[in-house]
Amino acid sequence: AQSVTQLGSHVSVSEGALVLLRCNYSSSVPPYLFWYVQYPNQGLQLLLKYTSAATLVKGINGFEAEFKKSETSFHLTKPSAHMSDAAEYFCAVTLLFNKFYFGSGTKLNVKP
Amino acid sequence: DAGVTQSPTHLIKTRGQQVTLRCSPKSGHDTVSWYQQALGQGPQFIFQYYEEEERQRGNFPDRFSGHQFPNYSSELNVNALLLGDSALYLCASSSGRLGTSTDTQYFGPGTRLTVL
């Protein structure tokens, strides 16, 4: 079975600073990996996905993530945080797109 | 193009009651998945429907059941509600083909269920 661990339930950065949200996965075979963002009282919006093509994946709103098989990681980064990035971020994993496993989420706070 | 829609937005029930939540998938999608997101937690997979059949199920009791209609819309039914069923219920739609890079899930805004 697959699983996802997100280190740090809360991350706080200053506006303009680097954003780094951590995600490690467990899977017997290379999975497909996703990052979603959730704003208060809303559903989940896809930021980016890794589907075994390029290991560095670029998403919306300036976010990107790098798949590192040796570290079983898929960390999310953004060079410069914006106030509008404040939200909760979820990492998810699947093998066959018929069952997705989500991490427990990381709340990002952006300080002015 | 309408995205995934869910109804109702909010719902309050009492213990022991039954509830039905509804989901209409994004245009062109034929697969619907349901998730339960408890407060402060990530979404937990309940089940997935494709071609009107349950294709995959997570670790949820039989009190949770579903249905998919010929137009691909779906219902989630929960019987004998418990306080612990209080959560945001999310519906996600995708295409039915497995293992292709186009199989992105699109989520609806969710239904907030409160059990008193």
Side-chain angles (χ1 to χ4, degrees), chain A residues 7-22 63 76-87 89 106-112:
Chain A
L7 295 177
S9 58
H10 290 80
V11 170
S12 186
V13 301
S14 297
E15 192 172 19
L18 171 71
V19 176
L20 171 60
L21 305 182
R22 300 178 185 275
F63 285 94
L76 182 71
T77 61
K78 181 174 181 178
S80 177
H82 192 272
M83 296 297 292
S84 61
D85 295 328
Y89 293 80
T106 298
K107 287 186 178 177
L108 176 65
N109 177 46
V110 181
K111 299 175 291 186

Side-chain angles (χ1 to χ4, degrees), chain A residues 30-42:
Chain A
Y32 299 103
L33 293 156
F34 304 78
W35 275 100
Y36 284 87
V37 61
Q38 186 176 37
Y39 296 98
N41 300 314
Q42 293 187 25

